[in-house]
Amino acid sequence: MQDGDIVHEMSEPMARGQAERLVPALEEVLAHTGQSWGDLDAIGVGVGPGNFTGIRISVSAARGLALGLDIPAVGVSTLEAVALTAPRPVTAAASASRGGAFYQVFTADGAGPPGLEHAEGDVTGWQILAARSDRDSPVMAFDAPSDTSTETLTTQPDHSLVAGIARIAATRHTDPALPRPAPLYIRPADAAPSRDLPPVLLD
Amino acid sequence: MADTPLTLLGLESSCDDTAAAVVRQGDGPADILSSVVHGQADFHAAFGGVVPEIAARAHAEKLDLCVIEALDKAGLTLRDLDGIAVTAGPGLIGGVMAGVMMAKGLALGAGLPLIGVNHLAGHALTPRLTDGLVFPYLMLLVSGGHCQFLVVRGPEDFSRLGGTIDDAPGEAFDKSARLLGLPQPGGPSVEAEAALGDPAHFAFPRPLLDRPDCNLSFSGLKTALLRARDQIVAEKGGLTRADRADLCAGFQQAVADVLAEKTRRALRIYMAEAPSVPALAVAGGVAANRAIRQALEEVADQAGVRFTAPPLRLCTDNAAMIAYAGLERFRLGRRDGMDLSARPRWPLDCSVPGLVGGGRKGAKA
């Protein structure tokens, strides 16, 4: 993005191999626009919510680039990018694993806290979100599943995810209190405390 | 050697330590200009072991801060470096990936070459950083995740003589501590209890000593400890402190005996090559156990071989060893591209078949 315009963007759907592909892809985008790394003022990076490993790949690379180039990296939530140009109120959503849906409600007064709607039995998190929202707060997402019950109730933003991230990053990169980008997990790490009980001590 | 001075930054994030270090080598031995290690023990304590997702989360938000700290302590900036070395495996893949991506970003942003390093090579080359050992030397790597005998012939030339076919010894210490209600990490707590106990009170097996090779097994030892514990509990309704100390002493003695005997066999194979300056080096957290270390020193003495074990801070996971191993690779002209992969498994010696099946839990290479 340059002077408020998206100059070039690319996106490749891939199931795996993002860690190998990401940096070469960034170099291709820069080369396409005739820019070099030194021309950048800031780096915007999506922090999710989404696939944990995927988010860490991009966040780690962005933090490394920021340190290497001595420019800020700006973490941008996928849900914010969804809602960027949407009329308020809107329920921004993104796919979670096992049929769940991440969501965040944006109203004229601001944004609510991000959350996660789990699937319940055969009902997906998307269907629960769709049933709860109404015409005044439609569900919007980049990656809604294509089953009919959700599809009819979900709209797409008029820009891409990566363009939304760049636009939002451009409004924040000069903030002196800008935090380093950190993944937005919402779901805690899947781990249970050890169940081994220690033996009774007799003395 | 009249080599150009080289300064490398190293990054390590393959298990539960986030680390960055700066190492410089001109004419003569390499200097560690800084070595920063941030552990995660508190995050994992409640789970009785390292949780990969928790580890990966911590690495991703800590690594660049470690880099800044390491550069500060070395009094350098990125512009003073000649390259970035990073652990590219083997290890917990989420953490390795965070490290590799961070290193790619740094290397690209600062215009520096990127060098992927095998974590095990980092451990195996550490005796050259600390003691200037010459190739070939025999290396016993004993830690929470690894256990193998390597003849180290060059920065990228390793022959594996044998290794564990199941658990690593450090893992067995951790599990034993858990079975006896002792705090984690298990190594130091089992060692402290063992010092109070009688190693002969309970009979523990000496796994695989009946086989002539250099392979080891520690999983059955842990099960033997569990059985002995359960038998005492069934008889008395619990353990006395003396029982606990005796169990620890018997377990530790069994580990020490097995490691010593297999080291004796590995030394025989190594010495048959008539190395110019024969040496046995031990690395990994388990090398900090005094009983085990003493047993290994005796074996080396009997064979007339120099014994070295790097100081504990360089024996356990750290980034100075990664920077140093990177430096050795760099001098061989090795560079990696921006498509460098993070690898969960990455054996140092690909000429011998893996000891542990690809999909199984256990030692990683």
Side-chain angles (χ1 to χ4, degrees):
Chain A
M1 178 169 159
Q2 191 170 20
D3 303 330
D5 294 318
I6 302 292
V7 186
H8 182 56
E9 65 174 274
M10 72 177 281
S11 134
E12 292 172 13
M14 53 198 303
R16 54 192 311 160
Q18 291 91 337
E20 290 80 3
R21 181 71 187 114
L22 177 63
V23 174
L26 292 174
E27 292 186 295
E28 288 167 28
V29 170
L30 273 182
H32 189 270
T33 59
Q35 309 270 349
S36 65
W37 290 103
D39 296 326
L40 298 179
D41 295 305
I43 294 167
V45 60
V47 297
N51 177 283
F52 298 161
T53 303
I55 303 166
R56 275 193 292 269
I57 288 172
S58 52
V59 167
S60 298
R63 288 175 72 142
L65 275 168
L67 187 54
L69 293 166
D70 197 20
I71 60 174
V74 189
V76 177
S77 130
T78 304
L79 299 170
E80 263 190 277
V82 168
L84 177 61
T85 57
R88 269 49 172 168
V90 66
T91 301
S95 281
S97 58
R98 299 191 286 268
F102 296 110
Y103 70 93
Q104 190 172 14
V105 177
F106 294 82
T107 66
D109 300 329
L116 170 58
E117 205 62 69
H118 293 280
E120 286 175 19
D122 291 342
V123 185
T124 67
W126 289 94
Q127 287 161 335
I128 295 169
L129 276 186
R132 204 170 55 200
S133 69
D134 50 35
R135 281 182 193 290
D136 297 329
S137 177
V139 179
M140 190 178 261
F142 290 112
D143 63 348
S146 53
D147 61 288
T148 46
S149 57
T150 352
E151 208 171 25
T152 49
L153 287 162
T154 312
T155 54
Q156 282 264 346
D158 55 11
H159 55 272
S160 70
L161 171 56
V162 69
I165 289 168
R167 287 192 191 285
I168 294 169
T171 64
R172 296 192 187 149
H173 75 278
T174 54
D175 178 355
L178 187 71
R180 288 172 202 277
L184 181 58
Y185 292 111
I186 298 179
R187 200 201 290 265
D190 214 355
S194 170
R195 279 175 303 178
D196 289 341
L197 287 177
V200 177
L201 265 188
L202 298 174
D203 55 354
Chain B
M1 59 182 120
D3 287 322
T4 356
L6 283 176
T7 311
L8 259 70
L9 172 74
L11 275 72
E12 156 64 31
S13 57
S14 67
C15 190
D16 61 343
D17 290 301
T18 314
V22 181
V23 171
R24 172 176 286 166
Q25 187 175 36
D27 290 342
D31 284 325
I32 300 170
L33 302 185
S34 63
S35 180
V36 174
V37 181
H38 288 282
Q40 307 173 351
D42 294 350
F43 303 159
H44 302 284
F47 302 99
V50 177
V51 181
E53 174 64 21
I54 292 176
R57 289 184 178 197
H59 289 307
E61 295 183 41
K62 190 84 188 171
L63 253 175
D64 52 351
L65 305 179
C66 282
V67 169
I68 293 168
E69 194 182 335
L71 287 170
D72 270 357
K73 286 193 171 160
L76 299 177
T77 70
L78 287 167
R79 317 291 156 221
D80 302 313
L81 301 175
D82 295 296
I84 312 263
V86 62
T87 298
L92 300 175
I93 190 63
V96 178
M97 217 176 249
V100 166
M101 295 313 292
M102 170 69 56
K104 285 181 187 176
L106 273 172
L108 199 58
L112 292 167
L114 174 71
I115 302 114
V117 168
N118 183 308
H119 175 84
L120 300 172
H123 280 301
L125 295 171
T126 298
R128 286 173 55 75
L129 166 65
T130 55
D131 297 87
L133 290 197
V134 295
F135 301 123
Y137 54 91
L138 179 66
M139 177 85 204
L140 168 59
L141 178 54
V142 266
S143 70
H146 305 285
C147 181
Q148 50 190 304
F149 292 102
L150 296 161
V151 177
V152 185
R153 304 178 192 285
E156 296 182 331
D157 189 0
F158 308 90
S159 304
R160 198 187 65 213
L161 302 182
T164 181
I165 60 167
D166 43 51
D167 289 356
E171 199 177 350
F173 270 97
D174 284 347
K175 286 175 180 169
S176 298
R178 212 179 311 153
L179 291 173
L180 298 175
L182 295 168
Q184 297 288 325
S189 49
V190 170
E191 183 180 2
E193 285 292 310
L196 310 170
D198 171 11
H201 186 181
F202 296 102
F204 280 95
R206 303 291 189 265
L208 297 191
L209 282 198
D210 55 330
R211 299 204 204 155
D213 58 25
C214 297
N215 290 338
L216 307 102
S217 164
F218 296 98
S219 172
L221 214 42
K222 171 199 67 196
T223 308
L225 180 107
L226 173 64
R227 295 242 170 85
R229 179 200 79 171
D230 286 351
Q231 200 180 340
I232 304 166
V233 171
E235 284 166 13
K236 305 184 189 172
L239 290 184
T240 64
R241 285 171 200 277
D243 291 332
R244 191 171 66 179
D246 289 350
L247 284 169
C248 287
F251 169 82
Q252 179 177 279
Q253 188 63 50
V255 175
D257 284 354
V258 171
L259 284 171
E261 178 53 32
K262 293 288 181 172
T263 301
R264 199 169 284 128
R265 293 177 195 180
L267 270 173
R268 271 202 293 272
I269 299 171
Y270 162 68
M271 292 301 278
E273 296 183 14
S276 59
V277 191
L280 167 67
V282 184
V286 179
N289 180 293
R290 271 155 299 185
I292 292 173
R293 195 174 174 128
Q294 198 185 337
L296 297 171
E297 275 193 78
E298 279 168 22
V299 172
D301 275 354
Q302 286 160 10
V305 168
R306 178 182 175 189
F307 177 88
T308 74
L312 188 61
R313 69 194 169 83
L314 295 173
C315 238
T316 52
D317 287 353
N318 67 87
M321 68 177 189
I322 302 305
Y324 180 75
L327 214 140
E328 293 233 32
R329 284 201 77 213
F330 192 97
R331 292 208 193 277
L332 293 178
R334 305 286 189 263
R335 308 288 186 270
D336 284 292
M338 285 296 143
D339 57 352
L340 174 68
S341 288
R343 299 173 62 174
R345 285 168 193 277
W346 185 3
L348 277 179
D349 182 354
C350 297
S351 68
V352 290
L355 291 166
V356 185
R360 272 164 57 191
K361 289 182 178 172
K364 289 168 217 60

